[in-house]
């Protein structure tokens, strides 16, 4: 029987792990949980391709840009071949991010609105949803995060934005299986289908976009 | 008195595996799960979920929930992160309609699977072992399930 969960899953925002060994262990565990690949945020290891990993499992670099709104474009030019992410922040930052051609993910912006959503639609920046906040927080903070995700989901649906679902794990214990991630996404109204797409189709699309650059520029990403 | 069969609530049984830094007792685990559920769904939601920790042996366990609340239960289990300050995560192996099904289909399968690839994968794992002994200690740390096999292996390595 075909299930929704027979897809290739990716988590594009794994926090950098201490060393090669823990990255290897994480990769094996992620594979067991049903992932086909991960992207590590600002990896400290330069040689990600030399990290031991399971067969068929991929580890990509993901650059989190933390610059003043005016400098985002420069940063995008600098790291164009990696997955590029901006963490949602103030209105100026969010606006600069969604208007930046070439950016891949805007992670959990707090004050999203229809103008930003329209811009994100034009530049095809994906909206990131971080279920890690649901997992690790309790009480009022979590309520706020759930609300943010609910409104972001609304805009994503309305403007057909791509969505990326990630747990932002920083250790083995933060890792959750794709089904668990879908269940967590259900807490703020995401359907199972949307959650699966946000973990398999949307990341694959971003990776495909990045590998096309490879042919153009002759720079290989992992 | 027995409930009438038509009025009996439909249930599902979820087999899970606990991964933790320290040993977690049954009491601590059930406390933490119910905490997580209360914090996520409140008293009303928790009542509807009708959860109960049926068995737990320190690593594998089975939790009962209402048939239409499996996703909520999964979410609540996913939100368990810490028990007494030690990091913990619960990995749901599968959902079944009977306790026997959950045990046979998921827990036993998982145990079999775990013991098998360890033999096959030795190639991969031993590389790490040979490189430095330190990783071995770390590896034992995460999977304290069958200390026997680990002991046996290190013994083989010595040979």
């Amino acid at each position: 029987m075909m299930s929704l969960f027979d897809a290739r899953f990716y988590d594009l925002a794994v926090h950098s792990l201490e060393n090669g060994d823990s990255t290897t262990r994480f990769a094996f565990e992620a594979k067991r949980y049903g992932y086909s690949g991960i992207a590590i945020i600002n990896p400290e290891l330069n040689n990600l391709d030399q990290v031991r990993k399971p067969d068929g499992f991929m580890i990509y670099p993901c650059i989190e840009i933390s610059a003043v709104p005016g400098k985002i474009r420069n940063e995008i030019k600098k790291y164009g071949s990696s997955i590029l992410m901006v963490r949602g922040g103030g209105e100026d930052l969010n606006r600069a991010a969604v208007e930046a051609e070439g950016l891949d993910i805007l992670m959990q912006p707090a004050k999203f609105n229809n103008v930003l959503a329209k811009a994100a639609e034009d530049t095809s920046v994906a909206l990131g949803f971080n279920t890690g906040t649901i997992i690790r927080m309790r009480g009022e903070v979590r309520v706020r995060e759930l609300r943010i995700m609910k409104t972001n989901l609304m805009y994503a649906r309305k403007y057909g934005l791509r969505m990326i679902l990630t747990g932002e794990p920083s250790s083995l214990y933060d890792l959750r299986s794709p089904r668990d991630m879908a269940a967590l996404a259900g807490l703020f109204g995401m359907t199972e289908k949307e959650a699966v797409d946000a973990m398999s189709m949307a990341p694959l699309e971003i990776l495909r976009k990045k590998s096309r650059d490879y042919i153009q520029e002759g720079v290989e990403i992992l | 008195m027995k409930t009438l069969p038509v009025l009996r609530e439909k249930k599902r049984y979820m087999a899970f595996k606990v991964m933790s830094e320290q040993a977690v007792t049954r009491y601590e685990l059930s406390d933490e799960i119910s905490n997580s559920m209360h914090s996520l769904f409140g008293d009303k939601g928790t009542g509807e979920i009708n959860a109960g920790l049926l068995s737990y042996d320190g690593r594998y366990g089975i939790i009962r929930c209402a048939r239409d609340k499996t996703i909520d239960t999964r979410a609540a289990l996913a939100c368990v992160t810490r028990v007494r300050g030690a990091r913990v995560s619960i990995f749901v192996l599968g959902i079944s309609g009977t306790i026997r099904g959950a045990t046979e289909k998921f827990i036993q399968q998982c145990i079999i699977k775990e013991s098998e690839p360890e033999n096959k994968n030795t190639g991969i794992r031993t590389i790490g072992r040979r490189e430095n002994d330190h990783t071995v200690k770390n590896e034992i740390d995460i999977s304290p399930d069958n200390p026997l096999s680990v002991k046996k292996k290190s013994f083989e390595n010595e040979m």
Side-chain angles (χ1 to χ4, degrees):
Chain A
M1 197 177 77
M2 265 302 273
S3 152
L4 259 180
F5 289 90
D6 291 339
R8 297 170 62 193
F9 293 105
Y10 293 86
D11 195 322
L12 291 191
V14 175
H15 281 285
S16 188
L17 304 146
E18 298 121 48
N19 52 39
D21 280 342
S22 53
T23 309
T24 300
R25 216 173 299 130
F26 190 91
F28 274 92
E29 198 69 3
K31 168 108 180 172
R32 211 168 58 79
Y33 272 55
Y35 287 97
S36 310
I38 53 171
I40 296 183
I41 301 175
N42 301 346
E44 281 159 29
L45 308 153
N46 297 321
N47 47 351
L48 274 182
D49 49 342
Q50 280 165 25
V51 169
R52 221 151 38 77
K53 50 186 185 272
D55 297 336
F57 193 87
M58 301 303 279
I59 302 178
Y60 305 92
C62 168
I63 304 296
E64 183 184 330
I65 300 173
S66 45
V68 289
K71 291 272 170 67
I72 286 181
R73 269 168 215 272
N74 295 348
E75 295 282 308
I76 290 174
K77 267 190 208 134
K78 208 158 121 197
Y79 300 109
S81 59
S82 310
I83 299 162
L84 298 169
M85 182 177 97
V86 167
R87 196 169 295 279
E91 187 126 23
D92 292 348
L93 183 69
N94 292 347
R95 173 175 276 270
V98 291
E99 284 173 354
E101 198 79 45
L103 185 75
D104 298 306
I105 307 168
L106 175 61
M107 187 59 76
Q108 197 109 324
K111 282 181 182 150
F112 209 61
N113 56 39
N114 55 339
V115 182
L116 295 179
K118 192 91 192 46
E121 188 192 2
D122 294 339
T123 49
S124 68
V125 172
L127 262 189
F129 291 83
N130 179 3
T131 56
T133 52
I134 309 179
I135 296 170
R136 287 186 282 271
M137 289 163 178
R138 294 281 186 278
E140 210 171 304
V141 197
R142 183 158 70 176
V143 173
R144 203 180 312 133
E145 294 294 333
L146 279 167
R147 277 228 54 84
I148 290 169
M149 286 194 258
K150 203 177 153 85
T151 37
N152 288 359
L153 177 69
M154 214 171 64
Y155 284 115
R157 278 183 183 154
K158 168 91 177 161
Y159 290 91
L161 302 182
R162 233 183 286 139
M163 297 185 271
I164 294 283
L165 194 61
T166 164
E168 291 208 10
S170 44
S171 78
L172 276 177
Y173 298 98
D174 294 335
L175 193 61
R176 295 289 180 272
S177 67
R179 278 174 198 272
D180 286 0
M181 296 285 279
L184 287 165
L187 293 175
F188 57 89
M190 207 184 242
T191 63
E192 227 165 51
K193 174 90 176 49
E194 283 170 329
V196 169
D197 283 353
M199 285 183 289
S200 70
M201 226 168 66
L204 277 169
E205 182 71 18
I206 288 176
L207 294 173
R208 197 177 60 82
K209 213 165 72 185
K210 291 295 159 183
S211 63
R212 206 172 45 201
D213 286 342
Y214 152 56
I215 298 167
Q216 285 172 352
E217 295 173 11
V219 181
E220 188 181 1
I221 18 158
L222 296 176
Chain B
M1 209 160 115
K2 266 171 122 183
T3 2
L4 284 173
V6 274
L7 296 181
R8 212 177 285 153
E9 283 177 48
K10 300 286 186 285
K11 300 172 205 109
R12 282 291 176 267
Y13 299 93
M14 213 173 260
F16 63 84
K17 184 175 151 189
V18 174
M19 302 204 297
S20 58
E21 285 179 321
Q22 292 171 21
V24 177
T25 65
R26 192 200 145 91
Y27 179 77
E28 285 165 345
L29 187 74
S30 85
D31 203 39
E32 194 56 43
I33 291 172
S34 89
N35 248 337
S36 161
M37 266 180 198
H38 266 98
S39 142
L40 257 186
F41 304 112
D43 292 346
K44 175 178 172 279
T46 311
E48 281 169 3
I49 287 173
N50 182 23
L53 185 63
L54 299 182
S55 70
Y56 171 64
D57 66 349
R59 187 152 176 80
Y60 296 97
I62 292 176
I63 191 169
R64 177 198 62 211
C65 67
R67 185 174 62 177
D68 48 352
K69 296 286 180 203
T70 50
I71 292 180
D72 288 355
T73 314
R74 221 179 236 282
L77 291 184
C79 284
V80 174
T81 46
R82 263 165 206 282
V83 173
R84 263 189 306 118
R87 289 181 293 178
V88 166
S89 88
I90 299 178
F91 177 46
V92 176
L93 299 169
I95 306 172
S96 170
T98 55
I99 299 177
R100 197 175 120 186
T103 322
E104 284 177 3
K105 224 166 133 188
F106 303 114
I107 295 182
Q108 283 173 8
Q109 284 300 319
C110 187
I111 293 170
I112 291 167
K113 240 194 218 164
E114 249 175 31
S115 56
E116 258 180 11
E118 250 187 306
N119 297 336
K120 271 187 213 158
N121 273 352
T122 36
I124 306 166
R125 290 209 166 181
T126 40
I127 295 167
R129 292 225 162 97
R130 271 180 215 143
E131 272 165 8
N132 55 356
D133 236 353
H134 191 66
T135 49
V136 181
K137 275 170 202 158
N138 287 346
E139 264 179 17
I140 294 166
D141 210 10
I142 338 176
S143 54
D145 50 339
N146 38 4
L148 272 179
S149 72
V150 176
K151 260 184 207 159
K152 213 168 92 192
K153 268 212 189 108
S154 58
F155 180 60
E156 279 167 8
N157 276 359
E158 275 163 27
M159 305 260 290

